[in-house]
Amino acid sequence: MAKMSKLLSLVMAGTLALSLTACGGGSKSDEGSTSSNASGTSSNTTETPKEKNITITFQNIYPDPTDPKNKLMNKLVKQYETDHPNVKIELDSLNTDQQKLKLKTQAASKEVPDITVVNPAAQMQPFVDAKLLAPLNDMLDQNGLKDTFQDGLLDWYSFDGNTYALPDGNNIAVVYYNKELFDQAGVKVPTTFEEMLDVVKTLKSKGIQPMAIGEKDSWTGSFLFMNMLLRTNNGPGFLKDVLEKKKTFDDPAFKEAVDAFENLVQAGAFQEGATSFDYNAGENLFKTGKAAMYFMGTWATGGIETSSVNGKVGVFKFPTINGKGNPDEFMLAPGSAFAISADSKHLEETKAFLNWFMTNFPKEAFDAKGAVGIGQKVDGDFKAAGYSDMAMEVLNLFKEVKGGDLAFDNTMNPGTAQVHLTSIQNLFAQKKDAADVAKEHQAAFEANNK
Amino acid sequence: MSTSTAVSLNKPATAAGRGRYSIAKTIVIVFLSILVVTQVYPLLWLILYSLKTNEEILSGSFFALPHAPQWSNYSAALEGNYFRYLLNSLFVTSVTMLTVILLSSLCAYAISRFRWRYGQVVMLLFLVGMMIPMQATLLPLMIIFKNIHVLNTHLSLILPYVAFSMPIAVFILSGFMKTIPHEIEESAVMDGANIGRIFRSIILPVSVPPVMTVCILTFINIWNEYILAATFISSEKLKTLPFGVNSFVSQYSVNYGAIGAFLVLGALPVIIVYFLLADKITQGMVAGAVKG
Amino acid sequence: MNVLKVSRLTIAAFVLPCLIIYVGIVFVPIMVSMYSGLLDWNGIGESKFIGLDNFRNLFFHDPVFWPSVRRTLMFSVFSMAEIPIALLVAILLKRYIRRPNFLVSSYFLPVILSVVVVGQLWKTIYNPASMGGMLNQVLEAIGLGSWAHAWLTEPSVAMYSLYFVALWQYLGYHTLIQYTGILNVPEEIYEAAKIDGADGFAADRYITFPNIIPIFKISIVLAFIGSLQAFDMVMVMTGGGPAHATDVISTHMYNMSFLSMKYGYGSSIAAFLVILCLVATFLINLIFNKLEKRFS
């Protein structure tokens, strides 16, 4: 492939030279634009002894100006630029889908931006294997940055003793519920899955939408399903066992989880047409008081607090299924994480910036009331700082975590994960035999792990 | 299919007594007006949407008017980089259109009027690429652009936009140019005009209608393109409008009205230009092909 | 036909700028894509040459592939079936409306709206009644509640809902094309036909139709291109779901290349797409050459 691309570029260089002379009008655009590889232009400027001007490209997934994390990022970046006049930080803010597509395209041509965003474990593995990411061990040791992270969190981002990315979040999955709607229907927080089904039915009969989900983004349903598997398997590690060939998807625990999931769907828990609702649209049903329950990672806390149902919302742990499982085991969601390109032209400066950024992140996040579910330790009194009751409830749940599982696509390779996601999404559209679902999974697993 | 339509519709027309004729006419007008409603309503819906509060949008019916127009939605939408995105889009689009017209009319002229062996081969080459979706080449393009150092410049959008617009442009233009009477060129050659001059002062002016067609098709294809735009451009100041619309829509989850406002603002320039030029466009559209 | 005899240099000056850009940006990448189709490659790391294995899997072991091809072809069939309707509208416009330009422009409006707008709008229309969907509410209001569907999420109807949106969006496009085609038929021919007794729709049968065959060709080509490139609309409205029920070739290619990270496999789908384009171009040209000969 490399040879091919070299050949290509030769052909293209010739082509371009010709075509540019042919259409002088078309080429004006790039003048004066500082591109991501701006080193060429900036290093040519007058070489005084002082530090040279550099541009660091910072790809991120916070394009929404109303998102506290976007404000936080902008504030920190601006401050760093003021303190380091020679450093310019160019933000490339994309939504999640765009960023994933862009990074994969960039990675194929070894054009990874200085700072980018990756997901933990299996999802970042291909990037690490291709040696696209710089190890950050040395930088973690500076300014005690390593110790600011929660214990064990960085393991999800480490391969062969090297840490390659720094997460900005560490969340667990909970069920948010609307207390007002629960009171209206006269139901209580369920402590078993069987009670949960009854709650769903009662809500339904009172004309209240029991649960909201944004299943067009198929990971949402998978996340819930995996939590059920965590219960029916009587503890974490099912996928790990499959990977190590100790179990297959044909295991009774898996089929039990499928059945339980289908029971929930068949009971009418989710809104009609759920598979055409994207993540935001699904969440909005809950945030506007149109649905009574919402299963999601605790990162949703901030959004719910700023919505119209603020103050009416509580959280509960996903209950046991058929008496199995421990509610104190959660779906764990170590968040998306910042990584640095191994080919960065300003590796040292980029590390220095990211070190400073992450060191200041917890405090700023705390002040911006966005510290629920961040990946670093926070000192500070949340209650006194004005965090809501719901936020306090969530924070308390964190203390009860006794382990759990990662999402499917963080554990299995992308090929298997896609089949799984589709298979679960299909359960929203039609009833399937659990054995068939298991078979489908096993076939995909075997085809993708040769 | 078309034949059968024509035949079955024969009856009312041949039996057209005066009174019947006006009944038929009324029916037709009603039918055509309903079409106007179904085709225009979306825009109206969008404008209403952009002026509503979140509560009105989520609970109100499809046809409801906003209680009090929420102009603040527009100021929220304008807080972003709307004008910069717009300028970038206008720049990229207009450079693309000019380049496409110039290069493909030259090429079409050579294919349709010059006596040379490979004209049909070149035409075939263009026909082959006419239907291929731009996105299928995303990754190879990335590699090429990296190596010729145009990533993160407007050129990285203009080049593929131009290249992918060319086949249909050459197809339409050469179809038209075949039909220009030879006498025109012959007399110009007699007067001693060289080929460049003939092209400039004879061929181009008479080709205005198909050129308009090409403009429209090119415009429609690239104005809303965002996958390449999101992938090849990283600098905020170089990003284009469709990219802006897309990130705005997918992330601004809390403010529906502002999304609507941004969408209205995104569509507005096009609609204005379109209605200003509507007459010309109608005349120009496919004028070339009909004679080809 | 080709009258001008010019020097090679002149030909080069006229053809090369266009050709070089086209070959460099369209042709070369497609060749690269086709080559990638022979690799086992996740798009990032090392690649391995595996010959035609991808194609073998694609043609014989991929449960999603052939249905997605079928949907893509159906998409183009529906788009083409719309052209006669557009022709009818165009004929009616010309015959009954004194100043039809405004109407034609109005019909054209949806074409220039971005797919995001169109997608949001139709999602709102298609939503289940309980979620405020207009279509189902209307059906219930006129007593056809039993016809209500979850238009985008029932696997058996979702694809048809998507076809319909495309038809709606591009009706104005084809109407405009047909309409201007009709306008370009010289009025004298109709006058002459009138004397011979052909009027109204009879005139359309014998004059309009044969005269706008080339326009048909453009419409058909554009319809086909449109259906191959329906990617954006499908992504916005259903993302190919539920469970692949609305996957078309291009969305399947995208899923494989970038979500499943099987770039080599995705490229083999791209290669198939290119070949499909070639066949279609060939067929369309063949048919229209015959038609044009018959009618002229």
Side-chain angles (χ1 to χ4, degrees), chain A residues 253-267:
Chain A
F254 187 81
K255 286 188 275 194
E256 195 180 346
V258 174
D259 282 332
F261 193 81
E262 293 207 77
N263 284 340
L264 198 56
V265 173
Q266 299 301 328

Side-chain angles (χ1 to χ4, degrees), chain B residues 63, chain C residues 134-148 151:
Chain B
F63 299 99
Chain C
M134 181 185 77
L135 181 57
N136 286 331
Q137 284 178 351
V138 169
L139 284 175
E140 270 164 30
I142 58 175
L144 293 172
S146 58
W147 290 16
W151 299 100

Side-chain angles (χ1 to χ4, degrees), chain C residues 111-250:
Chain C
V111 183
I112 51 181
L113 292 181
S114 89
V115 74
V116 180
V117 176
V118 173
Q120 283 313 70
L121 173 78
W122 279 91
K123 273 168 106 169
T124 320
I125 294 176
Y126 280 146
N127 264 340
S130 57
M131 296 290 139
M134 181 185 77
L135 181 57
N136 286 331
Q137 284 178 351
V138 169
L139 284 175
E140 270 164 30
I142 58 175
L144 293 172
S146 58
W147 290 16
H149 282 278
W151 299 100
L152 288 174
T153 51
E154 271 175 47
S156 54
V157 292
M159 199 63 218
Y160 292 93
S161 306
L162 291 185
Y163 296 142
F164 188 79
V165 176
L167 295 191
W168 167 84
Q169 189 178 12
Y170 286 101
L171 179 68
Y173 197 43
H174 293 300
T175 303
L176 175 64
I177 293 174
Q178 305 299 326
Y179 174 70
T180 44
I182 296 176
L183 280 193
N184 277 302
V185 178
E187 202 56 37
E188 302 89 66
I189 306 183
Y190 287 108
E191 302 284 323
K194 212 171 207 171
I195 297 169
D196 293 342
D199 198 6
F201 287 102
D204 291 323
R205 164 81 178 78
Y206 294 107
I207 301 169
T208 317
F209 181 61
N211 265 291
I212 61 164
I213 284 179
I215 297 287
F216 257 74
K217 184 174 171 183
I218 291 208
S219 263
I220 297 247
V221 167
L222 290 173
F224 199 80
I225 296 178
S227 53
L228 286 185
Q229 305 185 347
F231 178 78
D232 293 5
M233 196 190 79
V234 175
M235 282 318 255
V236 168
M237 295 193 66
T238 62
H244 298 303
T246 55
D247 256 332
V248 291
I249 300 179
S250 49

Side-chain angles (χ1 to χ4, degrees), chain A residues 189-241:
Chain A
V189 172
T191 55
T192 66
F193 182 66
E194 296 66 40
E195 282 179 33
M196 191 163 165
L197 284 177
D198 289 337
V199 168
V200 164
K201 284 171 192 152
T202 314
L203 284 164
K204 192 93 184 156
S205 69
K206 296 270 163 68
I208 297 167
Q209 177 59 50
M211 284 184 97
I213 194 165
E215 180 60 17
K216 179 168 177 261
D217 294 322
S218 49
W219 61 265
T220 53
S222 160
F223 201 38
L224 172 58
F225 171 79
M226 288 304 293
N227 204 333
M228 297 168 101
L229 181 59
L230 178 64
R231 298 286 177 268
T232 58
N233 190 47
N234 244 325
F238 180 83
L239 292 182
K240 200 163 153 270
D241 288 347

Side-chain angles (χ1 to χ4, degrees), chain B:
Chain B
M1 180 87 191
S2 178
T3 325
S4 68
T5 335
V7 170
S8 66
L9 281 164
N10 235 339
K11 283 173 219 148
T14 42
R18 257 222 165 289
R20 275 210 183 156
Y21 182 78
S22 64
I23 292 174
K25 184 167 177 167
T26 316
I27 293 172
V28 168
I29 289 178
V30 169
F31 170 66
L32 292 177
S33 314
I34 291 175
L35 268 188
V36 172
V37 174
T38 61
Q39 302 302 98
V40 176
Y41 187 72
L43 194 67
L44 224 63
W45 170 80
L46 186 63
I47 293 171
L48 292 178
Y49 190 99
S50 73
L51 292 171
K52 291 180 182 178
T53 63
N54 269 359
E55 277 66 33
E56 282 174 311
I57 288 168
L58 288 165
S59 57
S61 91
F62 203 68
F63 299 99
L65 294 171
H67 288 294
Q70 301 291 313
W71 297 108
S72 59
N73 288 339
Y74 279 83
S75 49
L78 287 172
E79 252 175 43
N81 277 325
Y82 172 73
F83 287 107
R84 179 177 286 164
Y85 293 154
L86 178 64
L87 279 180
N88 286 333
S89 267
L90 288 174
F91 176 79
V92 169
T93 310
S94 48
V95 172
T96 302
M97 287 185 6
L98 286 176
T99 317
V100 167
I101 290 160
L102 179 71
L103 297 189
S104 55
S105 60
L106 280 171
C107 189
Y109 185 53
I111 289 176
S112 58
R113 311 291 284 193
F114 291 175
R115 196 180 302 170
W116 58 306
R117 202 176 304 158
Y118 300 109
Q120 284 316 301
V121 179
V122 173
M123 191 63 218
L124 201 69
L125 210 57
F126 278 112
L127 283 181
V128 167
M130 195 152 68
M131 297 180 174
I132 289 162
M134 228 184 300
Q135 289 79 16
T137 58
L138 189 66
L139 210 148
L141 276 182
M142 183 89 186
I143 297 175
I144 292 172
F145 287 166
K146 181 200 173 188
N147 287 303
I148 60 174
H149 299 293
V150 296
L151 280 181
N152 201 24
T153 67
H154 280 152
L155 202 56
S156 66
L157 296 184
I158 292 170
L159 279 177
Y161 290 172
V162 167
F164 278 90
S165 306
M166 271 171 178
I168 193 102
V170 171
F171 174 70
I172 290 176
L173 288 172
S174 67
F176 175 83
M177 286 177 181
K178 265 185 209 147
T179 66
I180 302 174
H182 303 301
E183 294 79 22
I184 301 183
E185 279 160 315
E186 277 162 19
S187 62
V189 174
M190 301 279 205
D191 294 345
N194 66 12
I195 196 78
R197 172 113 174 267
I198 294 178
F199 178 75
R200 218 173 33 242
S201 46
I202 299 176
I203 302 298
L204 267 191
V206 297
S207 305
V208 168
V211 163
M212 285 304 276
T213 309
V214 170
C215 278
I216 298 168
L217 292 179
T218 310
F219 184 88
I220 290 170
N221 282 336
I222 63 174
W223 180 257
N224 288 322
E225 199 288 324
Y226 71 92
I227 294 183
L228 298 193
T231 310
F232 295 151
I233 301 289
S234 297
S235 298
E236 186 62 26
K237 62 181 176 199
L238 294 175
K239 284 176 177 169
T240 55
L241 200 53
F243 170 82
V245 169
N246 271 285
S247 45
F248 205 91
V249 167
S250 46
Q251 291 297 320
Y252 240 94
S253 51
V254 285
N255 193 346
Y256 290 102
I259 292 175
F262 204 94
L263 289 173
V264 170
L265 290 170
L268 206 60
V270 194
I271 292 167
I272 292 173
V273 171
Y274 179 71
F275 271 94
L276 285 179
L277 294 180
D279 271 6
K280 283 221 171 59
I281 289 169
T282 326
Q283 286 156 18
M285 192 84 178
V286 287
V290 82
K291 290 166 193 158

Side-chain angles (χ1 to χ4, degrees), chain A residues 272-315:
Chain A
E272 280 184 86
T275 56
S276 69
F277 282 70
D278 56 29
Y279 169 70
N280 284 329
E283 185 163 304
N284 273 317
L285 286 177
F286 183 77
K287 289 205 280 198
T288 49
K290 288 205 180 327
M293 286 182 280
Y294 182 52
F295 175 86
M296 193 38 69
T298 45
W299 59 77
T301 305
I304 293 170
E305 276 179 334
T306 51
S307 74
S308 60
V309 291
N310 186 29
K312 306 173 198 162
V313 177
V315 288

Side-chain angles (χ1 to χ4, degrees), chain A residues 1-3 5 103-112 123-133 414, chain B residues 139 143, chain C residues 35-36 39-49 257 260-264:
Chain A
M1 205 58 208
K3 213 184 258 169
S5 71
L103 179 63
K104 280 172 189 167
T105 314
Q106 288 173 323
S109 55
K110 309 243 182 277
E111 184 69 19
V112 178
Q123 286 202 61
M124 67 184 283
Q125 175 119 37
F127 296 93
V128 175
D129 289 347
K131 303 197 169 24
L132 292 166
L133 306 180
Chain B
L139 210 148
I143 297 175
Chain C
Y35 172 72
S36 309
L39 302 177
D40 178 13
W41 187 35
N42 69 1
I44 296 177
E46 293 297 308
S47 62
K48 196 172 92 193
F49 187 85
S257 304
S260 294
M261 293 190 71
K262 296 178 181 172
Y263 189 77

